[in-house]
Amino acid sequence: FDFTAIEEMDPSLSEGHRAVYDRECPFELRVQDGDAGPQEVGTLEAIKCKILVLGDESNPQHVRMELTSENDLFFHYTHSLDESSFRHMQEQQKLMIDFTDYVTCVMKMLNSCIKEPHSFLAVFLMHHDGNARLDFIQNMEYKFVELLSCDFVASPEEVVRHQITFRYNSTKSKLKLMQSRLQDVNALVKSKNPSLLLQMQRQPGGGSRMGGYNR
């Protein structure tokens, strides 16, 4: 199925950005509870990570990362960075990469968390004021090493509303396309081999159409 036309309606692309990464990654979610400090152990959840760039991927003008959850439609955090804000981040964390390498670096870390979850961790710490931080941590067996920290902020209500509307309409449109395709396949099989269609529909997941069929 070609969902290109549907994906192009994504409000994340409205400012000229384009998506260069879109995958689910295991995150450990923790909540900072006032002065009590963060939770010692968070909850593990698959978070959808979307990285968008404005301009050329190898020399971007602006980078944005969006985090969403299938378990909570109102979970939406954004990390936004240009070359100027990256320099500040670079100085604070003593990073050895340039802004042009940033997107590749983050994608590599996310992929490592997916492929080697016991060695690479993504810990997302949320504050009640809407601020949050994503820490990429490597388990070196004898110690944990923090590789990179990215600041996030909870997206405004209007942005969340637009995103939920898009996700709903996108799912609805994709379902309609797949149902149409299924009807085409049914019609083709019925014309070529009716008994095969009946056999397929009797199988688990074959649909309830066969409930009223009498030989």
Side-chain angles (χ1 to χ4, degrees):
F1 295 100
D2 184 5
F3 298 135
T4 306
I6 298 172
E7 298 299 341
E8 285 176 351
M9 301 300 290
D10 188 346
S12 298
L13 311 177
S14 62
E15 296 177 359
H17 291 73
R18 60 188 181 84
V20 295
Y21 187 91
D22 193 354
R23 293 187 71 182
E24 279 193 340
C25 178
F27 275 32
E28 184 179 324
L29 304 180
R30 298 184 186 180
V31 178
Q32 176 84 39
D33 190 14
D35 298 328
Q39 292 173 282
E40 287 295 323
V41 179
T43 57
L44 193 65
E45 189 174 324
I47 297 297
K48 190 173 183 181
C49 308
K50 184 186 291 184
I51 300 177
L52 305 112
V53 299
L54 184 63
D56 192 82
E57 185 178 345
S58 59
N59 187 25
Q61 301 169 34
H62 185 268
V63 175
R64 190 168 75 240
M65 179 158 53
E66 297 178 351
L67 305 180
T68 55
S69 167
E70 290 299 320
N71 293 332
D72 180 2
L73 291 177
F74 293 89
F75 180 99
H76 196 285
Y77 284 83
T78 305
H79 166 70
S80 187
L81 205 67
D82 58 17
E83 191 165 4
S84 176
S85 51
F86 172 78
R87 278 199 296 269
H88 178 67
M89 178 182 176
Q90 186 182 42
E91 291 171 7
Q92 277 192 324
Q93 300 185 38
K94 297 180 172 59
L95 301 177
M96 304 295 290
I97 58 169
D98 295 319
F99 184 54
T100 51
D101 306 314
Y102 183 68
V103 171
T104 303
C105 177
V106 174
M107 289 194 296
K108 183 179 178 181
M109 289 189 186
L110 288 169
N111 288 334
S112 295
C113 292
I114 295 169
K115 295 175 184 175
E116 303 174 70
H118 298 295
S119 301
F120 292 90
L121 315 172
V123 179
F124 193 64
L125 178 62
M126 297 167 284
H127 298 264
H128 290 296
D129 63 0
N131 289 309
R133 189 182 74 235
L134 174 60
D135 295 330
F136 290 104
I137 299 168
Q138 185 174 4
N139 182 356
M140 305 288 288
E141 293 186 8
Y142 55 90
K143 70 180 294 189
F144 288 100
V145 178
E146 192 173 290
L147 304 175
L148 178 70
S149 291
C150 306
D151 290 328
F152 280 79
V153 63
S155 301
E157 187 179 337
E158 185 180 358
V159 171
V160 175
R161 198 164 55 239
H162 284 315
Q163 285 290 342
I164 291 175
T165 302
F166 165 71
R167 289 163 75 180
Y168 171 79
N169 289 333
S170 172
T171 302
K172 191 176 177 181
S173 298
K174 290 175 182 177
L175 179 61
K176 188 176 179 180
L177 283 173
M178 287 188 282
Q179 286 175 331
S180 175
R181 176 59 179 158
L182 180 60
Q183 288 174 352
D184 290 343
V185 170
N186 280 347
L188 180 63
V189 175
K190 186 177 181 180
S191 65
K192 298 288 186 182
N193 192 333
S195 62
L196 175 60
L197 179 63
L198 296 177
Q199 183 182 343
M200 288 162 54
Q201 291 176 333
R202 284 198 192 98
Q203 293 174 351
S208 58
R209 291 196 195 94
M210 286 308 302
Y213 171 75
N214 295 311
R215 294 196 196 193

